[in-house]
Amino acid sequence: MLSVCCRRNRFWPMFVVSLGLALSGCAHQDDGPLMASSKTREGFDRLLDSVVRLDVWETTFSGGSKRTARGVGSGVIMTSDGVILTNAHVVNPYAERISVTLNNLERVPAKLIGWDHWTDLAVVQLDPMEVAQRGLTFSHAEFGDSSQLKPGETVYAVGTPNGLTRTVSRGIISNTNRFFEGRTVGAGYETGAFNTWLQTDAAINPGNSGGPLVLSNGRVIGINTRAYLGANNLGFAVPSDIAREVLSHLLNADSVPRSYVGITPAALQDLENFYQLEANQGMLVQSVDPGSPASKAGMSPGDIILSIDGKTVDGRFPEQLPAIQNAIASRPVGSEIPFELRRGNQAQTMVITTEPLESRVGAMEAFEKWGVSVQRISKAVAREEKLKSNDGVRVMGVQAGYPAAEAGVSSGDIILKVGDVNIDSLDAIQTVYDSWVADPQKVLVEVERGRQASYLVLKPR
C-alpha cells in the first residue's frame, strides 16, 4: 500500500496515487562517492541549504464544525526570492498558517501561491518583508533533467522525515516510468491521471513529502511524494519535467489550466489482435462521463481510439496512458480535437470540443452557529447524479443540538435557498450566514432531498 509522506499529528488514511515523468538539461554525475569533486560537493551543499521544513496548520471539517490539524512536510527553495516547491498533500488552500524552517534553523512565515492536486504539487513563498527585515539568506536549487535518468543511477532523497531536519538518504533510480492508477489526495482530490513516477530505493519516510530527489551535484530530478508501506525502501517521486512545468504555471496563476473531454482510458494490451489493429496502435475507452464532451459527441465505452488530432495513439500498456491523457489535458480549453475511432468493424471520426478540467471535489465551508458543513457541488458530480444544475451546496455534516439539526437538515441534502436568496455558490450562502449571525431570526430553508423539495425552518438557539 502506498502512503503520502507528510507527517500528521492525527491519523491520515493511506491511499494510492500516480503521477510524473521527465525534464531539462544538466549533465549527470556518475554514481561514485558524493565527495568525488569539490564542484560536486559545492553543488550538493547549496542544495542542502535550499531544503526546508514546513509546519502547516490546516482547516479540516468534521460533522458541522471546523477543526485545525497540524502537519509536517518538506520543501525545496527554487528561486532567489524564496519560492518553495512542495507537495499538494503538504500544503493546500485550507492552510491557515505555514511556518518554514530554513537551513540555519530560522523560522519564517509563508503563504500558498498555488497548488495542483492533479500532480500533487504546491508552491509556497517565504514572506519577503520578514526575510528582508531580518537579513535572512538562503540558497535555491536548480532542476536537473529527469528525462535522461537511467535505472541504476545514484540519487539522494533530502527532507525532514518524522521531523528530523536535513536528512539525506542514498539510493538508486529503480524505475523511471512507474505507473499506478490515479487515486486521491487530502479530502478526496484527484491525482495521478496524467503522469508516471520515478521509483527509488532511497529511503522516503513520513515527513519527506515535498523534499527533493537529487543527483550528486545537487540538481533536483524529482519531488519525493510517496512510499510503499510494508516494503523496504520503495519510494516514488514526481519527475522534474512535470515539477518544472507546474511550477512555471503556478507562478503565474493559482492553478494549472487543463482540458477535459470526459473519458477514462484502459490499456489495449492483447485486444489489438482481436480487433485486427495495426501494431502499436489503439487505446480502449473504458468509460465515458455522463454529459461530458465525449458523451455529447457520441463516444461510448468499448470504443477504440486510433488517433487523436491525426497522431496515432499507442495505449497498449498502462504506463503509456498518462502521457496520452496529458496530451489531451495540455490542449487549450475549448480546442476542437478530432478523434479517429474503431467501433466494432466500423471506423469513424468525431470532433470533441474540450471543457475546463474540474475536480469532483468542491470547496468546503462550515457554518458553526448553524452547526452545518457544506460543499460546493461540482459540475462532474451534478452530471453523475443527473442533477438539474450544479447550483446549491451539499450538506456534508450536521452537529446535533444546533439550529440546522433542529430544523431537520441532514447530510446529503442540497441547500437551494435560504430565505429569499437562491444559493448558487459558497459565497451566496456565506453572505446569508453572516447576515443571520448579525441578526438571528427564523428563516425558511429549501433543500433537495431524494429529488424532492423540502422546506425547513431554521431557528436561533
Side-chain angles (χ1 to χ4, degrees):
M1 179 183 293
L2 285 167
S3 75
V4 295
C5 294
C6 172
R7 182 173 179 266
R8 297 283 181 177
N9 290 343
R10 61 188 176 90
F11 175 77
W12 274 70
M14 303 305 178
F15 44 82
V16 179
V17 196
S18 61
L19 246 29
L21 192 63
L23 178 37
S24 117
C26 132
H28 289 189
Q29 302 295 320
D30 62 28
D31 60 356
L34 183 60
M35 298 293 287
S37 73
S38 59
K39 187 174 180 180
T40 296
R41 183 71 237 189
E42 181 182 342
F44 199 86
D45 286 344
R46 283 198 304 272
L47 178 279
L48 290 178
D49 189 47
S50 71
V51 177
V52 299
R53 164 177 166 152
L54 288 91
D55 289 81
V56 182
W57 289 259
E58 174 189 335
T59 300
T60 62
F61 301 90
S62 179
S65 64
K66 294 181 182 179
R67 297 181 181 177
T68 299
R70 181 180 175 183
V72 178
S74 305
V76 57
I77 301 173
M78 296 303 303
T79 68
S80 60
D81 58 349
V83 169
I84 298 168
L85 188 59
T86 185
N87 283 139
H89 72 261
V90 173
V91 184
N92 63 50
Y94 294 111
E96 302 170 9
R97 176 186 164 202
I98 305 169
S99 177
V100 176
T101 304
L102 302 175
N103 186 38
N104 58 11
L105 302 184
E106 294 285 353
R107 289 195 171 188
V108 184
K111 67 175 183 179
L112 177 68
I113 298 298
W115 80 319
D116 182 49
H117 62 82
W118 300 98
T119 54
D120 200 358
L121 293 171
V123 175
V124 170
Q125 180 151 32
L126 298 172
D127 184 330
M129 292 185 63
E130 179 139 354
V131 169
Q133 288 172 357
R134 294 166 58 187
L136 299 174
T137 59
F138 47 79
S139 298
H140 67 276
E142 296 181 10
F143 284 114
D145 187 353
S146 60
S147 69
Q148 299 301 309
L149 289 172
K150 305 293 183 184
E153 287 194 64
T154 299
V155 290
Y156 302 84
V158 188
T160 58
N162 294 298
L164 300 174
T165 305
R166 221 65 76 252
T167 297
V168 181
S169 59
R170 176 177 172 172
I172 62 169
I173 292 293
S174 306
N175 187 290
T176 59
N177 196 32
R178 178 62 64 206
F179 173 79
F180 296 106
E181 290 186 12
R183 288 294 186 267
T184 62
V185 299
Y189 289 94
E190 306 90 339
T191 192
F194 305 121
N195 312 109
T196 51
W197 297 76
L198 298 178
Q199 180 183 328
T200 178
D201 67 352
I204 296 175
N205 293 292
N208 268 120
S209 281
L213 186 69
V214 304
L215 300 171
S216 59
N217 60 7
R219 294 291 182 116
V220 176
I221 46 82
I223 298 298
N224 302 320
T225 306
R226 298 286 184 270
Y228 205 105
L229 294 181
N232 291 323
N233 297 342
L234 280 177
F236 304 91
V238 183
S240 59
D241 66 332
I242 296 301
R244 176 181 282 184
E245 181 181 345
V246 169
L247 174 61
S248 177
H249 276 292
L250 293 181
L251 288 177
N252 296 294
D254 60 1
S255 61
V256 180
R258 290 188 176 89
S259 275
Y260 162 82
V261 296
I263 62 171
T264 301
L268 192 62
Q269 293 187 317
D270 296 329
L271 291 177
E272 70 264 30
N273 294 327
F274 178 81
Y275 287 105
Q276 298 181 337
L277 300 173
E278 294 182 15
N280 305 328
Q281 184 179 25
M283 179 178 74
L284 184 65
V285 176
Q286 180 172 287
S287 64
V288 179
D289 296 345
S292 66
S295 177
K296 293 176 182 177
M299 193 174 291
S300 300
D303 286 347
I304 296 172
I305 298 174
L306 302 177
S307 71
I308 299 174
D309 202 12
K311 296 181 180 178
T312 300
V313 169
D314 182 2
R316 292 171 300 149
F317 303 106
E319 48 268 46
Q320 295 175 300
L321 302 182
I324 298 171
Q325 293 187 87
N326 190 49
I328 297 171
S330 298
R331 296 291 296 269
V333 174
S335 296
E336 294 184 347
I337 306 177
F339 285 74
E340 182 187 356
L341 306 177
R342 171 74 65 84
R343 181 176 295 170
N345 295 320
Q346 301 296 316
Q348 58 181 287
T349 299
M350 58 181 62
V351 177
I352 300 177
T353 303
T354 71
E355 293 181 357
L357 177 66
E358 297 181 8
S359 172
R360 293 184 73 264
V361 182
M364 295 184 68
E365 188 53 82
F367 304 110
E368 297 188 274
K369 291 189 180 298
W370 284 349
V372 64
S373 58
V374 301
Q375 185 175 51
R376 181 184 66 82
I377 299 173
S378 67
K379 186 181 293 186
V381 167
R383 285 170 169 168
E384 289 173 9
E385 300 187 9
K386 299 182 180 179
L387 303 176
K388 294 179 182 178
S389 72
N390 62 328
D391 289 347
V393 295
R394 170 161 284 157
V395 176
M396 303 303 292
V398 179
Q399 212 167 355
Y402 280 73
E406 295 298 312
V409 176
S410 300
S411 295
D413 287 351
I414 298 174
I415 299 177
L416 300 173
K417 197 170 185 179
V418 180
D420 58 358
V421 178
N422 291 319
I423 305 302
D424 57 3
S425 66
L426 278 181
D427 288 341
I429 194 170
Q430 180 73 59
T431 300
V432 172
Y433 173 75
D434 291 343
S435 298
W436 186 91
V437 170
D439 182 23
Q441 300 286 338
K442 289 191 297 185
V443 63
L444 191 66
V445 178
E446 179 184 346
V447 304
E448 181 178 318
R449 181 182 298 168
R451 303 190 183 280
Q452 294 185 343
S454 297
Y455 297 89
L456 310 172
V457 179
L458 191 148
K459 303 175 184 178
R461 293 181 70 183

